[in-house]
Amino acid sequence: MKELYLMRHGQTLFNQLHRIQGVSDSPLTKQGIADAKEVGQYFRKNNISFDHAYASTQERACDTLENITSQPYQRLKGIKEWNFGVFEGQSEQLNPQDDSQRHSYGDFFLQFGGESDLQVQERMNATLTDIMNQPDHQRVLAVSHGGACFMFLQKWLPYADIKKRVKNFHNCCILKFTYDQEKFEFIESINVKELI
């Protein structure tokens, strides 16, 4: 059974300042770098190694991966963060209420030059499926983003189960899935800080 470790990047300056950070970028904080290094130590301590590693093309994801491992990796646009249009870089207080049916921001950002939740979900799922379908990919690490990871998770796990099974989806949280015959199965969320 193939395994995917899908991870959210480390804390950034915009995370710290509570700013909307989609396709815009900001650097990792000292805490973000330290947390990523702890994830690397966790993988080594538990003898978890990866055939292949991927990061979104955004700096914060690449820097997180480079603080976890020195192995070569590929950058992919398909696992970038949700595009929030004109709201990029603005205060998180401007985010809309969640769509009660879709448990996300729904189509809200489309009218402002961004993406809908389902567009993000579709590209995440297509990209990660392409990755896992490659024959030499048995255990893969992919570093992505909070909104993008959450939409992928919603594709494969009902929202009620997410509320029960995924605790503290913070920076550097890891979502572990198995993959077989075009299907992902959620196994667990791993918060390294809680294991130290």
Side-chain angles (χ1 to χ4, degrees), residues 9-132:
H9 63 78
Q11 184 195 68
T12 66
L13 178 63
F14 273 17
N15 291 146
Q16 208 172 39
L17 297 174
H18 301 287
R19 293 196 169 272
I20 297 170
Q21 179 177 229
V23 294
S24 58
D25 219 344
S26 72
L28 295 182
T29 61
K30 286 182 182 174
Q31 185 67 55
I33 292 166
D35 289 348
K37 288 180 176 174
E38 281 181 8
V39 170
Q41 289 169 1
Y42 166 81
F43 287 146
R44 287 187 292 277
K45 183 178 169 187
N46 290 279
N47 296 312
I48 299 170
S49 58
F50 301 97
D51 328 301
H52 293 83
Y54 294 86
S56 110
T57 49
Q58 293 169 277
E59 178 185 316
R60 59 192 187 270
C62 296
D63 286 354
T64 298
L65 185 49
E66 289 170 16
N67 277 289
I68 293 169
T69 178
S70 59
Q71 83 178 81
Y73 68 95
Q74 190 175 339
R75 300 167 72 231
L76 292 174
K77 288 185 179 179
I79 57 174
K80 281 179 71 165
E81 180 59 299
W82 193 327
N83 181 343
F84 297 116
V86 299
F87 285 82
E88 293 280 335
Q90 302 302 311
S91 169
E92 288 176 358
Q93 292 179 332
L94 297 177
N95 276 329
Q97 292 294 312
D98 275 1
D99 179 306
S100 59
Q101 299 300 309
R102 281 152 61 169
H103 307 290
S104 71
Y105 298 135
D107 294 331
F108 178 81
F109 291 105
L110 277 176
Q111 62 191 316
F112 300 105
E115 290 177 287
S116 75
D117 55 351
L118 298 180
Q119 287 174 329
V120 176
Q121 186 177 78
E122 187 178 331
R123 71 170 163 79
M124 282 289 288
N125 192 59
T127 304
L128 292 169
T129 298
D130 285 347
I131 288 170
M132 298 309 292

Side-chain angles (χ1 to χ4, degrees), residues 154-168:
Q154 280 207 70
K155 166 93 177 160
W156 296 103
L157 193 65
Y159 185 72
D161 290 343
I162 292 174
K163 297 295 280 180
K164 285 184 212 158
R165 296 181 60 193
V166 180
K167 304 296 180 198
N168 300 325

